[in-house]
Amino acid sequence: MRANGDKGISRRKLLGGAALAAPAVAGIALARGGDSALAEPAAAGAHPGHAGHGEFPHATFAAGRHVDHERNGFHPTKLLRDFDYGRTSRLASGRVLREWEIVAQDREIEVAPGVRYEAWTYNGRVPGPTLRAREGELLRIRFVNGSEHPHTMHFHGIHSALMDGMPGIGENRGGGQIEPGEAFTYEFDATPFGLHLYHCHVAPLAAHIARGLYGAFVIDPKQGRPEADELVMVMNGFDTNFDRANEVYAVNSVGFHFVDEPIAVPREELVRIYLVNALEYDPLNSFHLHGNFFDYFPTGTSLQPSEFTDTVIQGQGQRGILELRFPYDGDYMFHAHVSEFAELGWSGFFRVGDPGEVSAATAASMYCELPWGKGSPA
Ligand SMILES: [Cu+2]
């Protein structure tokens, strides 16, 4: 999906080992794929521990090595079902007031085994917390900038200009750009219902977002949605050498995490996925599911699906809700149908089994029979 072919080539060379001096990418090794650029020097002996992956027909990160989630301070699997409802109280009118405190923090995170990235975060995690409210409530978000850089919180939704998190707007009232050490409280109505996002809006915008300052923002309809196993999947990427092209692609920040640790979902029960595209530097991203179809609700703003499909395309900042049931047990792959992204981390599996019993831990036995073993995408 690259407009500039040269950039893509330079990235492949980099991954192939041409620029391994850059410490940020030193942990990546690609196995040999059909693409000759990918096949190029398989790390050229710089990573003896990664040699021998050439027999696998697909690119992957080094097998057997894992990201230190504890050090990251967040776990991609836990982020799936981690909704932050804030704290609520009643206004004199009886209306619900929902409040959060969000702190911007600079933090190094590991986005693939051995690949560290100097992220900027909301509350220490990438993506930031999934803020969840109900249509019609009054929302108040106290934003504290504990980073060394100026930031804001720009929410998608319907609100006044002062609450828009835009540098230059409302500066004389404490809003606009929030400098290090400053704080500001955003306040607006929860409307419209749907799946939205929030992100920093300080220039250079792509850089501030790409560093990790984004999160999902769910506004439930007043009447709610049918009960389901709900998952938040934020598609993102990391430009580890700051050349305005991503080296690692992921869902919830860690490349190939859900290959390593499939998402356990109950057979036949309703699964609802809140899918957000927070990717920078690539104009389009996509989500494709194997062995199944889903109802798609663009932006989640209608209760009627617009499409029954197995693939959706999202531009930057686009998002939508997927609803589906898995009729059969087993492992079902999901990945970007932009194959390049899939091979750079944006791949995973759903593991379907008995409700209440299926878990990623039980499935190794199902999956290790695959010829390439655990840790590689199909
Ligand atoms: Cu920022």
Side-chain angles (χ1 to χ4, degrees):
M1 296 316 303
R2 317 198 57 74
N4 179 343
D6 289 337
K7 266 198 206 165
I9 287 164
S10 74
R11 171 172 55 185
R12 287 200 175 85
K13 278 192 179 148
L14 187 111
L15 284 164
L20 283 169
V25 296
I28 294 183
L30 284 166
R32 181 146 36 89
D35 180 330
S36 61
L38 285 172
E40 205 184 324
H47 299 284
H50 303 165
H53 294 171
E55 66 269 31
F56 303 135
H58 302 281
T60 181
F61 294 124
R65 294 180 63 201
H66 300 281
V67 161
D68 186 342
H69 301 295
E70 209 158 303
R71 202 178 111 150
N72 274 355
F74 63 89
H75 193 293
T77 299
K78 290 183 185 139
L79 297 193
L80 289 170
R81 297 178 176 90
D82 185 9
F83 295 92
D84 187 340
Y85 292 91
R87 27 171 223 289
T88 57
S89 55
R90 290 262 174 199
L91 298 166
S93 63
R95 190 179 178 200
V96 170
L97 167 67
R98 195 175 291 276
E99 298 175 273
W100 295 270
E101 179 164 288
I102 305 289
V103 181
Q105 298 164 281
D106 302 341
R107 177 172 197 149
E108 185 188 81
I109 61 171
E110 193 179 6
V111 296
V115 182
R116 298 201 164 77
Y117 182 75
E118 294 291 335
W120 299 344
T121 74
Y122 289 124
N123 285 5
R125 43 172 274 182
V126 179
T130 297
L131 305 183
R132 187 160 186 177
R134 188 168 289 251
E135 183 185 14
E137 294 172 342
L138 179 64
L139 310 183
R140 203 173 273 165
I141 303 103
R142 181 165 190 267
F143 174 57
V144 178
N145 189 357
S147 163
E148 289 182 8
H149 311 269
H151 300 301
T152 70
M153 289 185 82
H154 161 73
F155 286 85
H156 288 219
I158 302 172
H159 47 243
S160 77
L162 175 63
M163 297 300 161
D164 198 40
M166 268 300 295
I169 298 179
E171 298 284 352
N172 57 349
R173 296 168 66 186
Q177 182 162 302
I178 312 302
E179 300 298 330
E182 289 185 347
F184 182 72
T185 300
Y186 300 95
E187 185 178 300
F188 47 85
D189 297 335
T191 188
F193 77 78
L195 172 57
H196 311 309
L197 74 157
Y198 63 89
H199 57 85
C200 176
H201 218 295
V202 170
L205 187 54
H208 277 251
I209 295 174
R211 286 282 193 147
L213 290 169
Y214 46 80
F217 174 37
V218 178
I219 299 181
D220 289 320
K222 276 188 179 137
Q223 66 273 40
R225 296 180 191 273
E227 176 144 343
D229 185 8
E230 298 192 313
L231 309 168
V232 178
M233 300 175 71
V234 177
M235 304 189 285
N236 53 1
F238 296 92
D239 172 16
T240 57
N241 60 351
F242 304 103
D243 67 346
R244 300 177 65 79
N246 296 300
E247 279 69 45
V248 174
Y249 293 84
V251 163
N252 294 354
S253 303
V254 176
F256 293 125
H257 172 76
F258 298 112
V259 170
D260 234 16
E261 217 173 285
I263 301 172
V265 290
R267 186 186 60 249
E268 285 165 7
E269 290 184 9
L270 184 64
V271 174
R272 179 176 299 117
I273 299 168
Y274 295 93
L275 181 72
V276 178
N277 181 24
L279 189 65
E280 280 297 328
Y281 305 126
D282 292 283
L284 294 175
N285 206 336
S286 65
F287 175 101
H288 167 58
L289 176 62
H290 286 207
N292 212 340
F293 268 57
F294 50 82
D295 281 319
Y296 189 62
F297 305 75
T299 321
T301 46
S302 167
L303 298 176
Q304 297 304 318
S306 67
E307 199 178 2
F308 184 55
T309 182
D310 63 6
T311 306
V312 288
I313 310 280
Q314 291 185 345
Q316 294 183 347
Q318 236 175 340
R319 63 276 178 195
I321 297 175
L322 288 62
E323 287 188 355
L324 69 159
R325 294 170 197 270
F326 290 90
Y328 308 115
D329 284 359
D331 283 357
Y332 297 92
M333 193 172 197
F334 60 89
H335 60 90
H337 223 294
V338 187
S339 306
E340 179 195 19
F341 300 176
E343 294 187 334
L344 290 170
W346 186 164
S347 297
F349 284 90
F350 288 105
R351 173 153 296 147
V352 182
D354 289 331
E357 284 179 26
V358 63
S359 80
T362 61
S365 57
M366 296 159 68
Y367 186 36
C368 66
E369 293 158 21
L370 294 174
W372 49 84
K374 202 163 173 281
S376 299

